[in-house]
């Protein structure tokens, strides 16, 4: 799913989505894949974004390269928690609240549930 602020060429820089909840209530059994997944994301805009402004910053001036560098740093922080799903999610939510340029930051990057 593309952000509203991402153009067709994918010019906004985003890390891969991290599965937030693979145990959706809609799964029929523990062996069946879930019918829905909860999606969290963290968005870093740059000056070439379609709308280079966010709730955090009314005028974004960072280059695309700076946004990518910032995301790589956030990914390295997340990798430190990769073996503990609860810690990983808590860390992701906190980083989203403080670093994401998406309005979903107020919800820890939570975009809700999506069908598979």
């Amino acid at each position: 799913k593309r952000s509203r602020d991402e153009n067709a060429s994918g010019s906004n820089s985003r890390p891969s989505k991290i599965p937030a909840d693979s145990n959706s209530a809609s799964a029929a059994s523990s062996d069946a894949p879930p019918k829905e997944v909860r999606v969290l994301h963290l968005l870093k805009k740059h000056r070439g974004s379609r709308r280079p402004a966010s709730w955090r910053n009314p005028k974004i001036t960072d280059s695309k390269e700076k946004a990518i560098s910032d995301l790589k740093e956030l990914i390295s922080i997340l990798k430190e928690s990769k073996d503990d799903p609860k810690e990983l999610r808590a860390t992701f939510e906190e980083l989203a609240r403080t670093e994401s340029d998406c309005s979903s930051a107020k919800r820890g990057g939570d975009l809700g549930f999506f069908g598979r």
Side-chain angles (χ1 to χ4, degrees):
K1 182 173 179 335
R2 290 182 190 251
S3 164
R4 298 184 281 212
D5 295 320
E6 182 181 19
N7 67 24
S9 66
S11 70
N12 269 351
S13 306
R14 296 186 299 168
S16 299
K17 292 185 179 86
I18 295 177
D21 186 0
S22 60
N23 297 319
S24 171
S26 64
S29 73
S30 61
D31 294 336
K35 293 180 183 173
E36 295 183 315
V37 291
R38 173 171 250 147
V39 176
L40 304 179
H41 86 149
L42 195 154
L43 175 71
K44 292 296 280 186
K45 291 186 173 185
H46 53 84
R47 66 178 166 244
S49 297
R50 186 179 340 165
R51 191 178 70 81
S54 74
W55 68 274
R56 285 186 331 116
N57 189 346
K59 184 176 182 183
I60 295 172
T61 59
D62 287 346
S63 67
K64 183 176 182 178
E65 293 75 19
K66 170 79 165 96
I68 290 169
S69 174
D70 290 349
L71 287 170
K72 286 179 179 178
E73 186 175 327
L74 298 176
I75 289 168
S76 70
I77 292 168
L78 291 167
K79 285 182 177 179
E80 294 173 13
S81 302
K82 70 178 181 180
D83 295 328
D84 182 346
K86 288 183 181 182
E87 182 182 343
L88 176 61
R89 179 160 181 178
T91 301
F92 188 94
E93 289 177 351
E94 182 59 29
L95 289 172
R97 281 186 184 94
T98 59
E99 303 297 324
S100 183
D101 288 314
C102 181
S103 62
S104 69
K106 295 168 184 70
R107 297 180 306 279
D110 191 350
L111 297 177
F113 285 96
F114 290 81
R116 290 183 66 113

